[in-house]
Amino acid sequence: MEEAEKHGSVEDDDDGDSKADPPRRRGKKGAGKLWSIKQYPEGSVGAANWDMENLYAARNWKCPCTDRDNCIGIERFPKIDPIYDCRKTFQTTTAQNEGGLRDAMRKELEQHYSKETRSFGRSFVVGSKNDCCAASAALARGLTFNTYSKARADVRLERPWKDGRKVAKERIQTDQTAYIEAWIRDLRDGMEGSKGRERSDTWHTAKMPTKKRWEEYRDSLIRAKLPVIGSQSLFEKIWRKHTEIRQIGAKKHAKCDTCGGFEVELDAIKNKRNDAHAHQIREDVYRRKEIHRREQRGERDYAKSIEFHAARVPEYATALNIDAPTQDQFDIPVQNRVARDVVKSLESQPKWASKITGVMATGVGMLAYITRCGLGSGPNLTCTTLYLTLLVVAHERGLGKRLNVLFDNTCGDNKNNVVIIFIAWLVYTDVFREASFFCMLKGHTFTILDQSFNTMISQLMQECIYTMGTLLRLMFRFLRPYNVVDVRELHCIWDWTAFFDGHYNKLGGFATSQFGSGMHDFYVRKDAAGDVRLWLRQSSQTTTYFPEGPGYNIFKSSPSGSPPLAKAKPDQRWSRASVESTIRAWYRFMVLDTPEELSKVKSEWAAVFNNLPPDGDTAQLPDEKQLQWEELPKMSAAETLETESGGASGYGGDGVTAALENPAVNPVVGEGRTAADVQRELRAHQGFVRTSAQDTHYPAVFQADFLILQRPSCEMELHRVVNRMIIRDKLAPELSFSTTEYVHTPQPGYLGFWGTFSPKLNPGYTEHDPRNGPMHQRHHNIGRDCIKLYSVKHFTDKVEFAGVEAAKTVVRIAAPSLAKLHQLYPNQVPPVPSPLPDSHTGTTSAARGRGRGAGRGRGRQAQYQVAASGQLQADVSGQLTSTAEGSASRDASAIADSDATEQQPQRSQPHRAAAQRKRSRSNRSAGSDSSVEEQSDVVDSSDEDHAHADNNDDDPPAPIPDGFEAVEWFDGMSVGAGQSFMIWTSLSRRAGAKWHQARVVRQLPQGSSTSPFTHDAIFHSERHPRGVSLCISTYRIGCWVLLQPVLVK
């Protein structure tokens, strides 16, 4: 019987609430059933059930009786009318009166059932015949076999009737419902919440059919080796009730890029359900989705564990969570925004804008701060609200020994130098023994603060708000369910940027870059010497910190006193006159009951504008509106000595994966580590990876690499990687990055890429409209399938163009890379010419040099070319003969360039200065670190063979500054830290070369093959050190002069 029900072709509602479900084919033809869909060619629902074609099909059916063909056959019923009347009467009258088809048939079956023999008698009535079998009677009444078999089992097994079945079903579904609800809530915890744009608490996820959601639920249980609880219909019913989950459709996008990528991969194989390869891909996606879920849940659990410790042991930890809703939600005056605003002519005019900052203090409650837009935002506002909140916590329950702050990933407001120094300053002044702040994964940062903002904004939209006083009262009322302590308006904020300026060692490299998504967990504490040190890691789940050993020393000196008040924006910056005009125009549209109320509103706004400081000078505010400084309580001497030993500590977490580990190169710049160090380590790492992976199918791709691409329906082009190439994914089979296209200007007389390359201009670029894109042509979502040649060797050159005043820096592809390209694609790329063009042999006038500014790129030419074209041809021939044959994509991988020197770090500007010396002074003398997109002019200029080739020295002599004198320097003489010198170089792209004064920071290790520099030095006009080359070759040609102070007698 169970098998019959499993494979039934025509199904019916179990509870008999409807006539019948539409017939469906299942399983093998006629398997385990007495009749099938063939007996209902017109369907089994509604009037189609007693259609003539169905009646004729029933009369031609063979019943299970052995002594006759059919109890309702044509020989017994020559006319069809009796069967028609029987079926229509049962379907329209009897079934409805007896509680449904199933129970109505059960009543008839019970009258003909013998419990002794457990069989049904052949005494059923159809028309004038009273000797029909049970099966024939059921078919004559228009039942599907599934409904008939269930009614028959109800009689034999004495099952409950419809009401009893409904109660039992609800009891079973209650347990199933609870389990499905728990799964949906767990899924919802990992979704991104709103920031105040919706009118109720909502969560967002990518749009997916409900059936697909059921499959995801079912597969999760199967993978966990658990029974599948519930049915698809029950799951879909429960899922539809969760209206707070908003599924983002095609016009929007998922907040988390990783989650959106998973959906793209699944959509690509949705029509290949029986494909073994598609099944393998689907399982891999599910595996990675589960890993990503554990990652973001691990981050959330880490944040919850901090909150739990702070709530349970307040004397140990103080936990804060800070966030801000969308700013334009709080512009006033405003009408009830649920309906259409009645003053459309004023909606586009500037209003009084405010910024809300909420801080949730564990064990105390929520504090909301509101500031006018004229005060600005950024780290000053963040640190001010944190300090004010700590004062409240100290008064209410006392401060713990450790501070933990939860931020979102906004660098402008939260993850920046000033906020890091502020957290460290709290430890430096013994307010806390240790402190940390933490940022959750992008796209998964929804917290209780976001939920409170949702509730508040949705209720504010139903109110008319004409004054700041009204806004403050309503905010407090609507935030009361979230345990709000106070809603406070700030008329000024402290200038923490100025307070800390000059007292700390600058930090950098912790934001999103080619090294990954940046650092997310920051930890500070004092060491045994009393220095506050910083450790960082990419995630709370990361197993190591940067740096290893002692952390970065934060403070150079001690900030004293209290921070000054920050100046507000001048009146013109926030359009004060326009805002006042808008508010005056609003008076006639304000819905107020009495003239006295309108007069009160006018008086309140008049007081607001009269109390504004002139041109943003907050020091002229009345005393009652200025922030009054109050010291935070300090720890006792005994408490400060309870410092833990070893490295940085924190709350532990599980679920660490490679995506959460620190990058291979430490990108953080701080005391004792310069940007030059980062570039040296990056260059060494790139060289090692290229060498190790040169025989793999997937060569390494790094940020700033030059690549030969062939996009669909395009010719081969030179591109440069400029964005979305994270160092962790350098060897990944699937890549997606952005590039800048370079346009080729052919060299007359030579076929192929022997000309010059320049970034292709974006025709729609507008300087003041970023919506039209950047200045140069970008291409996004580039993958390995487009790459024809990896890590293209290149050098730069100076070329004069007609109509252009100055020579232009261009890029040329080096001959070895062009030879490799021809070897891979001989039908598309012409062979290497013999002899080589002068531009690639170093014999052009530009390469030899024509005074200052000529000969740029000579160092790169020296690496990749030789003066004699025959020798280069021989080298190229040797490379070609040693290259293995294979497919085009495989060959591109097999002979991808693996030189560590083919992608030098960014040293463009100081190199430019060295290039503006004569060709004899083309050694690189100084270096700077810039963004990846500025690396298009990266070159080397270290050709010592021509150090004395030009004696026409028309450069000005070094201007010795006051208080110094020049001293002779000889080879082997030590140049240590603190030594001053003058150097001929350029410190920016647009500035020409000139003499600069600098001071040595440290001497670099000698014998390093990855660095052309000998020292790190700080120039007088800059704050960060650069790499410089203070060696005998550059000294002899007059590139630098050693200085010593003049002794005053």
Side-chain angles (χ1 to χ4, degrees):
M1 180 59 62
E2 293 297 326
E3 186 69 11
E5 293 179 13
K6 181 178 179 182
H7 296 286
S9 296
V10 183
E11 291 191 351
D12 191 16
D13 181 27
D14 288 3
D15 295 331
D17 294 329
S18 62
K19 300 288 189 304
D21 289 335
R24 294 183 293 166
R25 293 184 181 274
R26 285 190 178 180
K28 297 180 180 179
K29 181 179 178 181
K33 54 187 180 291
L34 299 177
W35 64 89
S36 65
I37 195 174
K38 283 187 175 182
Q39 279 66 50
Y40 293 93
E42 298 298 325
S44 61
V45 179
N49 188 284
W50 51 85
D51 188 89
M52 286 300 171
E53 292 297 326
N54 289 352
L55 300 178
Y56 290 137
R59 198 169 61 173
N60 295 330
W61 168 74
K62 292 184 178 181
C63 74
C65 298
T66 58
D67 58 340
R68 60 172 72 134
D69 288 338
N70 188 355
C71 291
I72 56 174
I74 190 172
E75 67 279 358
R76 291 170 56 84
F77 291 93
K79 294 184 177 181
I80 203 68
D81 295 349
I83 301 178
Y84 173 85
D85 294 336
C86 177
R87 177 170 292 194
K88 184 175 181 181
T89 301
F90 185 85
Q91 291 280 334
T92 58
T93 305
T94 307
Q96 294 182 7
N97 295 334
E98 299 297 339
L101 298 172
R102 180 173 171 179
D103 280 4
M105 190 63 205
R106 174 180 177 173
K107 285 186 177 180
E108 290 200 27
L109 289 173
E110 284 183 339
Q111 299 173 11
H112 304 271
Y113 179 68
S114 172
K115 292 185 178 180
E116 291 76 13
T117 61
R118 295 182 59 80
S119 61
F120 296 93
R122 195 164 69 175
S123 55
F124 289 85
V125 178
V126 177
S128 60
K129 307 293 183 181
N130 60 358
D131 58 346
C132 297
C133 65
S136 299
L139 183 57
R141 287 158 175 76
L143 296 182
T144 64
F145 180 75
N146 191 32
T147 303
Y148 164 69
S149 63
K150 289 179 179 179
R152 185 176 60 182
D154 290 343
V155 175
R156 288 175 173 173
L157 303 177
E158 298 182 354
R159 291 174 175 172
W161 294 80
K162 179 179 179 179
D163 292 339
R165 292 196 304 270
K166 187 175 181 180
V167 171
K169 184 177 181 180
E170 289 177 351
R171 188 185 308 114
I172 295 174
Q173 287 190 350
T174 298
D175 297 336
Q176 295 175 347
T177 300
Y179 192 91
I180 296 174
E181 287 279 5
W183 186 86
I184 293 176
R185 286 195 302 271
D186 185 69
L187 179 69
R188 192 182 66 183
D189 285 344
M191 297 178 182
E192 172 72 357
S194 66
K195 294 281 185 179
R197 297 177 178 87
E198 289 81 7
R199 299 181 181 178
S200 60
D201 298 338
T202 57
W203 286 261
H204 296 89
T205 185
K207 191 171 184 180
M208 183 185 298
T210 311
K211 181 179 180 181
K212 202 171 184 180
R213 291 281 180 195
W214 155 256
E215 293 174 352
E216 184 180 23
Y217 164 75
R218 180 196 62 194
D219 294 343
S220 67
L221 296 178
I222 293 176
R223 288 194 298 271
K225 298 182 179 179
L226 296 174
V228 178
I229 299 175
S231 62
Q232 181 177 344
S233 59
L234 177 62
F235 179 87
E236 293 178 353
K237 180 180 178 181
I238 296 173
W239 178 265
R240 284 192 293 267
K241 292 181 179 179
H242 284 270
T243 57
E244 79 282 4
I245 299 178
R246 303 286 178 86
Q247 299 192 81
I248 303 173
K251 293 184 179 180
K252 299 182 181 179
H253 58 85
K255 299 296 179 68
C256 175
D257 292 340
T258 304
C259 296
F262 292 146
E263 301 308 320
V264 171
E265 293 185 60
L266 291 175
D267 290 341
I269 58 173
K270 63 182 179 181
N271 295 324
K272 304 177 181 178
R273 300 184 179 182
N274 296 323
D275 186 352
H277 180 62
H279 178 72
Q280 182 180 359
I281 294 177
R282 188 179 296 109
E283 289 299 318
D284 179 66
V285 173
Y286 285 145
R287 177 186 61 80
R288 288 185 284 121
K289 283 184 67 175
E290 179 63 22
I291 292 174
H292 181 62
R293 189 190 71 85
R294 289 202 306 268
E295 290 173 354
Q296 60 94 2
R297 285 303 301 271
E299 300 284 83
R300 191 170 294 277
D301 291 343
Y302 175 78
K304 289 182 178 179
S305 68
I306 294 175
E307 182 180 351
F308 173 78
H309 281 81
R312 186 178 180 184
V313 192
E315 64 274 11
Y316 171 73
T318 297
L320 305 178
N321 177 13
I322 183 170
D323 202 356
T326 305
Q327 183 170 337
D328 58 7
Q329 299 281 354
F330 303 94
D331 294 353
I332 59 172
V334 69
Q335 303 283 20
N336 184 334
R337 285 170 287 177
V338 174
R340 194 175 79 170
D341 205 311
V342 297
V343 193
K344 285 300 175 186
S345 61
L346 295 176
E347 281 300 290
S348 60
Q349 301 302 316
K351 300 179 183 179
W352 182 272
S354 302
K355 181 175 177 62
I356 310 298
T357 303
V359 184
M360 186 72 73
T362 301
V364 175
M366 177 183 178
L367 292 101
Y369 302 92
I370 181 169
T371 56
R372 63 185 181 92
C373 69
L375 294 178
S377 57
N380 286 337
L381 176 59
T382 300
C383 296
T384 299
T385 54
L386 285 176
Y387 192 88
L388 294 174
T389 304
L390 289 174
L391 287 174
V392 175
V393 175
H395 293 156
E396 293 291 331
R397 70 191 315 233
L399 300 176
K401 298 177 183 178
R402 173 170 179 160
L403 172 67
N404 297 98
V405 186
L406 177 62
F407 288 120
D408 62 11
N409 284 292
T410 306
C411 291
D413 292 335
N414 304 327
K415 199 162 65 173
N416 52 56
N417 266 280
V418 177
V419 173
I420 296 174
I421 304 308
F422 173 79
I423 300 294
W425 175 75
L426 295 173
V427 176
Y428 185 80
T429 55
D430 294 330
V431 176
F432 295 98
R433 190 182 68 192
E434 53 187 354
S436 68
F437 74 84
F438 167 62
C439 309
M440 288 191 289
L441 293 180
K442 179 182 177 182
H444 298 281
T445 59
F446 186 75
T447 64
I448 189 66
L449 276 177
D450 297 295
Q451 185 175 347
S452 67
F453 297 148
N454 263 354
T455 304
M456 176 182 66
I457 292 173
S458 63
Q459 293 174 308
L460 287 176
M461 294 179 69
Q462 304 175 34
E463 303 288 342
C464 298
I465 307 173
Y466 300 138
T467 64
M468 284 297 299
T470 304
L471 177 61
L472 291 170
R473 288 192 298 272
L474 291 175
M475 285 178 58
F476 187 85
R477 184 182 16 155
F478 296 147
L479 290 175
R480 193 172 297 167
Y482 297 93
N483 194 25
V484 64
V485 176
D486 189 19
V487 177
R488 181 177 178 182
E489 182 181 9
L490 301 181
H491 302 280
C492 56
I493 57 179
W494 284 305
D495 192 349
W496 296 94
T497 304
F499 180 62
F500 293 129
D501 188 34
H503 293 288
Y504 65 94
N505 298 302
K506 294 293 193 301
L507 301 168
F510 49 79
T512 301
S513 66
Q514 62 171 315
F515 298 97
S517 60
M519 302 295 110
H520 288 74
D521 196 10
F522 299 73
Y523 175 82
V524 293
R525 76 157 185 265
K526 283 186 178 181
D527 60 11
D531 295 328
V532 178
R533 296 193 173 270
L534 168 71
W535 291 266
L536 313 90
R537 56 180 178 173
Q538 182 163 314
S539 162
S540 65
Q541 313 301 303
T542 305
T543 53
T544 60
Y545 278 88
F546 283 146
E548 296 288 350
Y552 297 108
N553 189 17
I554 298 294
F555 291 101
K556 296 188 293 185
S557 57
S558 174
S560 59
S562 59
L565 294 179
K567 283 195 172 185
K569 298 177 182 178
D571 293 345
Q572 290 183 345
R573 286 275 305 278
W574 62 277
S575 305
R576 171 175 175 169
S578 298
V579 172
E580 287 191 70
S581 176
T582 301
I583 292 177
R584 286 194 299 269
W586 263 86
Y587 289 153
R588 59 189 293 260
F589 297 104
M590 292 181 179
V591 184
L592 299 171
D593 295 334
T594 63
E596 289 76 14
E597 291 183 357
L598 178 60
S599 177
K600 184 179 179 181
V601 169
K602 292 181 178 180
S603 299
E604 186 171 340
W605 276 116
V608 168
F609 286 106
N610 290 336
N611 289 326
L612 289 177
D615 283 334
D617 187 3
T618 53
Q620 300 187 40
L621 284 170
D623 291 341
E624 64 273 10
K625 293 187 179 296
Q626 291 189 17
L627 290 174
Q628 302 301 319
W629 181 255
E630 180 182 351
E631 293 286 347
L632 286 168
K634 306 292 193 296
M635 292 190 301
S636 64
E639 290 175 321
T640 58
L641 294 177
E642 298 175 7
T643 306
E644 300 176 8
S645 60
S649 63
Y651 301 102
D654 298 324
V656 61
T657 64
L660 298 182
E661 286 289 2
N662 287 330
V665 176
N666 177 9
V668 181
V669 175
E671 187 268 340
R673 179 177 176 81
T674 66
D677 293 328
V678 176
Q679 292 299 322
R680 277 190 289 270
E681 291 183 15
L682 175 62
R683 188 167 65 251
H685 174 73
Q686 290 175 342
F688 172 78
V689 171
R690 293 190 200 278
T691 303
S692 303
Q694 60 183 342
D695 294 329
T696 65
H697 191 70
Y698 304 110
V701 178
F702 291 96
Q703 195 94 322
D705 273 7
F706 276 96
L707 307 170
I708 295 293
L709 304 181
Q710 186 168 19
R711 296 176 293 120
S713 304
C714 297
E715 298 294 332
M716 287 188 183
E717 303 162 335
L718 181 67
H719 286 242
R720 191 168 207 185
V721 182
V722 295
N723 197 15
R724 301 190 66 183
M725 189 60 246
I726 300 176
I727 192 172
R728 183 185 65 245
D729 300 333
K730 54 188 175 289
L731 298 175
E734 299 293 334
L735 297 177
S736 179
F737 50 85
S738 299
T739 64
T740 293
E741 180 183 349
Y742 279 66
V743 62
H744 179 227
T745 302
Q747 184 171 173
Y750 294 92
L751 298 177
F753 293 141
W754 296 94
T756 61
F757 292 86
S758 301
K760 185 177 181 179
L761 295 176
N762 177 12
Y765 172 72
T766 305
E767 182 177 0
H768 301 292
D769 190 357
R771 294 175 298 179
N772 295 328
M775 178 184 295
H776 299 116
Q777 190 71 50
R778 287 280 190 92
H779 297 280
H780 304 285
N781 300 319
I782 300 297
R784 289 189 183 273
D785 55 333
C786 298
I787 302 177
K788 295 299 182 180
L789 187 65
Y790 290 84
S791 54
V792 176
K793 293 181 179 180
H794 63 283
F795 61 95
T796 58
D797 200 356
K798 283 279 191 178
V799 176
E800 295 180 353
F801 292 90
V804 180
E805 180 178 354
K808 182 180 178 181
T809 301
V810 294
V811 176
R812 295 185 186 271
I813 301 179
S817 291
L818 292 173
K820 291 180 181 181
L821 194 62
H822 167 70
Q823 190 273 334
L824 290 172
Y825 311 101
N827 296 328
Q828 295 178 259
V829 180
V832 176
S834 180
L836 290 176
D838 292 343
S839 58
H840 288 67
T841 60
T843 59
T844 62
S845 59
R848 289 193 304 270
R850 291 195 300 266
R852 189 176 304 159
R856 185 167 177 189
R858 188 67 182 136
R860 185 60 58 93
Q861 287 182 344
Q863 292 179 19
Y864 298 145
Q865 275 87 224
V866 293
S869 60
Q871 180 61 43
L872 179 58
Q873 291 285 359
D875 293 342
V876 170
S877 301
Q879 290 180 12
L880 296 182
T881 55
S882 62
T883 304
E885 296 291 336
S887 65
S889 61
R890 176 59 183 160
D891 287 340
S893 305
I895 64 173
D897 194 276
S898 61
D899 260 346
T901 58
E902 67 191 30
Q903 290 295 335
Q904 294 290 343
Q906 169 64 7
R907 306 284 181 182
S908 61
Q909 295 158 0
H911 164 74
R912 180 172 305 145
Q916 289 177 349
R917 303 292 286 172
K918 297 178 181 180
R919 183 168 58 85
S920 61
R921 295 185 179 183
S922 61
N923 282 12
R924 179 183 297 176
S925 57
S928 67
D929 298 293
S930 303
S931 65
V932 171
E933 297 192 38
E934 293 176 352
Q935 293 185 350
S936 59
D937 296 328
V938 176
V939 290
D940 286 334
S941 299
S942 56
D943 190 357
E944 296 188 8
D945 294 338
H946 300 275
H948 307 283
D950 198 337
N951 295 322
N952 296 324
D953 191 355
D954 57 354
D955 298 326
I960 306 302
D962 294 339
F964 288 91
E965 61 181 357
V967 296
E968 285 294 325
W969 183 85
F970 54 87
D971 191 12
M973 181 178 176
S974 175
V975 180
Q979 180 69 57
S980 297
F981 61 94
M982 298 292 294
I983 189 169
W984 176 271
T985 185
S986 173
L987 300 183
S988 67
R989 282 183 172 273
R990 298 174 179 83
K994 63 180 181 179
W995 287 102
H996 292 272
Q997 184 179 353
R999 175 175 52 84
V1000 174
V1001 176
R1002 63 169 176 166
Q1003 185 173 359
L1004 302 177
Q1006 300 300 310
S1008 173
S1009 61
T1010 62
S1011 173
F1013 307 110
T1014 61
H1015 298 76
D1016 278 344
I1018 294 182
F1019 287 75
H1020 273 204
S1021 59
E1022 298 187 330
R1023 295 182 177 181
H1024 299 289
R1026 299 172 179 259
V1028 297
S1029 180
L1030 305 181
C1031 58
I1032 186 63
S1033 59
T1034 55
Y1035 179 77
R1036 286 174 178 171
I1037 61 177
C1039 277
W1040 63 280
V1041 177
L1042 195 64
L1043 301 178
Q1044 71 176 14
V1046 177
L1047 298 178
V1048 179
K1049 297 182 180 180

